[in-house]
Amino acid sequence: MRFLSQRKRFKDLSQQEILALAISSEEDDARIYRGYAESLRPAYPASARTFDAMAAEEDAHRAQLIDLHEQRFGPTIPLIRREHVAGYFNRRPVWLIENLGLERIREEAASMERDAERFYLNATKHITDSATRRLLGDLAAAEARHGTLARDLADSHLNKSIRTEENAAAHRQFILTWVQPGLAGLMDGSVSTLAPIFATAFATHDTWTTFLVGVAASVGAGISMGFTEAASDDGELSGRGSPVKRGAASGVMTTLGGLGHALPYLIADFWTATGLAIFIVFFELWAIAWIQNRYMQTPFFRAAFQVVLGGALVLAAGILIGSG
């Protein structure tokens, strides 16, 4: 609360401070757009040029605001930024948006322009100088146009074939970085933990012991798969993307795949827990087949036959070993 009390309310800003805030905001947005451009340039050069152009637009706005400030208040601009003003819109960290892909970056750019438009419309209500009001109104209109600027600039830099190619590249990258490691993890977690879990279940008929074994097997497999995936390839030559992302996808999905049929053993009744666990196993296997069909273009019935047959064999092995 002490930190919040040190932030100024927008309505308490002087006209000079409003101009200074607009200048710093335009500078921040230009830097963000340049950051997007640099992150996209290796894989999406045409989209990178779009964000270069948007950064140049923000630089032009900043120059107009600085000229106006010098005319009205002189060359010394107060240091005031968005974090100094209570309720002022924030920008998400660039690294977070970069990690979410090309389309997410485009959506964030459109959101940034809408935020800027609202700021200028609010600012005009607190300005009495006619020249300043006119400039802020013009900038509000410009930002409103910028709601479609990403699309307009994209149209000028991205013809249909380039846009299709970039979207296809983004889709391929999503599959390589997230889907393939996650699918491998889900398959490993769902199938490799079947034997120890069901062997324990039928050997002990103790649901709590089975649950503990299932959690241990799932978490252990998740850690192993995650580190193996991350260490196997740094992504530089293969183009498979960040090893941290791939490791996280593989590790988390491996753990979830095992926990799915371990959690039913929290139920005290052995046969109820086992029946539910077997039902979940077949649901997991069908989900794997669907993902293979949806993202890997594997014919559904072939994927289902391979995955369900393999899972059923491992399940049967676990039950037979535990019953022996």
Side-chain angles (χ1 to χ4, degrees):
M1 293 302 293
R2 182 173 178 271
F3 170 73
L4 291 178
S5 68
Q6 294 175 340
R7 302 175 72 184
K8 299 189 72 169
R9 294 181 298 176
F10 183 78
K11 68 179 183 179
D12 295 330
L13 297 179
S14 67
Q15 296 187 39
Q16 183 183 16
E17 288 172 328
I18 290 175
L19 273 180
L21 180 59
I23 291 167
S24 67
S25 297
E26 294 288 354
E27 180 180 11
D28 289 345
D29 287 356
R31 288 178 177 174
I32 290 171
Y33 289 145
R34 286 195 173 89
Y36 291 164
E38 288 307 308
S39 69
L40 293 172
R41 206 175 307 281
Y44 312 108
S47 284
R49 290 194 295 272
T50 295
F51 285 103
D52 284 333
M54 294 181 72
E57 287 275 339
E58 302 303 321
D59 287 339
H61 292 173
R62 178 170 171 265
Q64 288 178 283
L65 289 164
I66 290 175
D67 289 342
L68 181 62
H69 185 280
E70 289 181 348
Q71 293 169 18
R72 291 199 62 199
F73 304 107
T76 303
I77 301 173
L79 177 60
I80 181 167
R81 309 187 72 84
R82 56 171 51 92
E83 60 265 25
H84 302 151
V85 180
Y88 194 69
F89 61 84
N90 292 315
R91 296 299 191 215
R92 295 175 181 83
V94 173
W95 59 264
L96 174 61
I97 306 304
E98 287 175 351
N99 287 339
L100 297 180
L102 175 61
E103 198 56 41
R104 185 66 182 83
I105 289 176
R106 291 173 179 166
E107 292 172 2
E108 184 66 15
S111 175
M112 287 170 61
E113 299 300 342
R114 289 192 295 271
D115 288 339
E117 177 192 2
R118 283 194 296 270
F119 163 69
Y120 285 123
L121 290 175
N122 266 332
T124 57
K125 301 174 184 177
H126 298 271
I127 297 292
T128 57
D129 176 72
S130 60
T132 305
R133 285 175 60 87
R134 184 167 56 254
L135 175 59
L136 295 182
D138 290 344
L139 291 177
E143 299 296 350
R145 291 194 301 274
H146 287 184
T148 59
L149 179 61
R151 186 165 58 249
D152 294 340
L153 288 173
D155 289 341
S156 66
H157 291 293
L158 309 177
N159 59 38
K160 185 176 180 179
S161 64
I162 292 176
R163 185 187 290 275
T164 300
E165 181 181 332
E166 287 196 347
N167 288 340
H171 182 68
R172 285 195 301 272
Q173 192 63 57
F174 171 73
I175 290 175
L176 289 172
T177 303
W178 296 106
V179 176
Q180 281 187 349
L183 178 61
L186 183 61
M187 292 176 67
D188 185 82
S190 297
V191 176
S192 69
T193 58
L194 288 176
I197 290 175
F198 283 96
T200 303
F202 280 86
T204 66
H205 282 242
D206 184 331
T207 58
W208 180 246
T209 300
T210 303
F211 170 73
L212 293 179
V213 169
V215 170
S218 301
V219 173
I223 294 172
S224 175
M225 283 288 289
F227 275 100
T228 300
E229 177 63 41
S232 65
D233 178 10
D234 64 7
E236 291 294 328
L237 294 178
S238 66
R240 296 179 64 218
S242 164
V244 174
K245 295 178 187 176
R246 298 194 331 267
S250 181
V252 169
M253 294 307 292
T254 301
T255 302
L256 292 177
L259 287 178
H261 45 267
L263 290 175
Y265 284 99
L266 286 170
I267 299 171
D269 182 76
F270 172 78
W271 289 110
T272 301
T274 300
L276 180 58
I278 291 174
F279 172 79
I280 291 174
V281 166
F282 281 96
F283 176 81
E284 291 169 347
L285 297 177
W286 280 102
I288 291 170
W290 181 85
I291 294 171
Q292 286 185 318
N293 173 256
R294 172 69 175 79
Y295 291 102
M296 315 303 292
Q297 283 77 53
T298 304
F300 180 78
F301 287 105
R302 188 176 80 185
F305 177 76
Q306 293 171 342
V307 173
V308 174
L309 177 61
L313 290 174
V314 176
L315 174 63
I319 293 173
L320 289 173
I321 293 170
S323 302

